[in-house]
């Protein structure tokens, strides 16, 4: 289990690790969460997964979190309205315990969910409450406009 606070002879440690590998042992993540108080799960809340940007965000987050030994859990937080419009639901307590929540492009000005779990909103919608990482589309749009005008486009 990687503990270094217990003195185990190296020969014994080696035999146990070899036996675990032979048997295909995998640590029980629920048991580890009970002992450590951490699930190593990060929840990504988003309104959908069909737009290329959303899938790119999921891939980048998944790969980056995996480097730190975390798993990414996706939660879709939207509802279809009559007429096909999409309304995001307010951030609500999740059934799954996680170490943090990333809320991507969620249109929600509700108070932070009362989970005790840190929530960071990210995307293009500016939020006045809680932690927020924004994407500035205005500057990019201005640069694209100036580029086109400089090329003679109108």
């Amino acid at each position: 289990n990687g503990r270094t606070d217990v003195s185990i002879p190296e020969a014994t440690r080696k035999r146990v690790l070899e036996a675990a590998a032979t048997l295909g042992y995998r640590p029980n993540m629920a048991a580890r969460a009970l002992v450590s108080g951490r699930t190593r799960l990060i929840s990504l809340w988003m309104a959908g997964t069909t737009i290329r940007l959303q899938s790119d965000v999921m891939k980048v987050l998944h790969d980056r979190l995996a480097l730190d030994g975390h798993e990414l859990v996706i939660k879709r937080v939207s509802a279809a309205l009559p007429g096909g419009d999409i309304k995001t639901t307010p951030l609500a307590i999740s059934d799954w315990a996680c170490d943090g929540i990333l809320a991507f492009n969620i249109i929600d000005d509700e108070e932070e969910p009362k989970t005790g779990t840190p929530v960071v909103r990210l995307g293009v919608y500016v939020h006045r409450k809680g932690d927020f990482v924004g994407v500035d589309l205005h500057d990019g749009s201005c640069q694209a406009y100036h580029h086109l005008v400089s090329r003679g486009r109108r």
Side-chain angles (χ1 to χ4, degrees):
N1 65 5
R3 288 179 56 181
T4 58
D5 61 330
V6 178
S7 178
I8 298 174
E10 190 57 38
T12 303
R13 182 183 303 275
K14 185 177 178 185
R15 278 196 326 270
V16 169
L17 292 175
E18 287 172 357
T22 301
L23 295 171
Y25 170 78
R26 291 182 1 185
N28 182 311
M29 300 312 286
R32 280 195 172 181
L34 285 172
V35 170
S36 69
R38 300 194 56 199
T39 63
R40 312 241 6 118
L41 298 175
I42 302 296
S43 185
L44 174 61
W45 293 4
M46 55 189 349
T49 58
T50 57
I51 298 172
R52 170 76 190 265
L53 173 64
Q54 293 165 327
S55 108
D56 288 348
V57 166
M58 286 187 297
K59 181 182 179 342
V60 167
L61 285 173
H62 173 271
D63 293 351
R64 179 63 188 115
L65 290 169
L67 292 174
D68 292 331
H70 288 85
E71 291 284 334
L72 183 65
V73 178
I74 311 294
K75 179 176 181 178
R76 187 164 184 237
V77 288
S78 64
L81 298 174
D85 290 334
I86 298 292
K87 176 189 182 301
T88 55
T89 58
L91 297 180
I93 295 174
S94 177
D95 294 336
W96 290 94
C98 61
D99 293 336
I101 298 168
L102 300 172
F104 179 70
N105 276 348
I106 303 296
I107 306 169
D108 173 38
D109 283 325
E110 301 291 325
E111 293 291 332
E112 292 297 315
K114 307 288 188 266
T115 64
T117 303
V119 177
V120 176
R121 291 176 170 92
L122 54 143
V124 296
Y125 302 110
V126 177
H127 293 276
R128 306 281 181 241
K129 299 172 182 152
D131 295 323
F132 175 72
V133 177
V135 177
D136 184 2
L137 295 181
H138 176 76
D139 186 51
S141 299
C142 288
Q143 288 180 31
Y145 168 77
H146 291 299
H147 173 75
L148 291 173
V149 169
S150 71
R151 300 279 190 270
R153 308 286 190 234
R154 294 178 190 237

